Amino acid sequence: MDLGIIAAIAMLVLWAVGALITGAPGWINLLLTLGVFLLIWRIVALNARKPQK
């Protein structure tokens, strides 16, 4: 598994825990934005590297 995908999943888990346990200040939602962006970017980048047949 790609390190970027693992980092994205970790960000999303931290966001979920932070949003449910704390009062969820506005900056915690940045983890959601960055986590989803990184996850989509890494999936697209992985598929772009594979040779097309």
Side-chain angles (χ1 to χ4, degrees), residues 25-46:
W27 62 266
I28 198 113
N29 292 319
L30 186 62
L31 288 174
L32 173 64
T33 304
L34 292 176
V36 170
F37 171 77
L38 185 60
L39 184 62
I40 292 171
W41 181 43
R42 294 309 302 162
I43 289 172
V44 169
L46 281 176

Side-chain angles (χ1 to χ4, degrees), residues 3-37:
L3 186 60
I5 293 175
I6 294 171
I9 292 172
M11 279 188 221
L12 293 174
V13 168
L14 284 173
W15 168 79
V17 169
L20 294 174
I21 292 178
T22 66
W27 62 266
I28 198 113
N29 292 319
L30 186 62
L31 288 174
L32 173 64
T33 304
L34 292 176
V36 170
F37 171 77

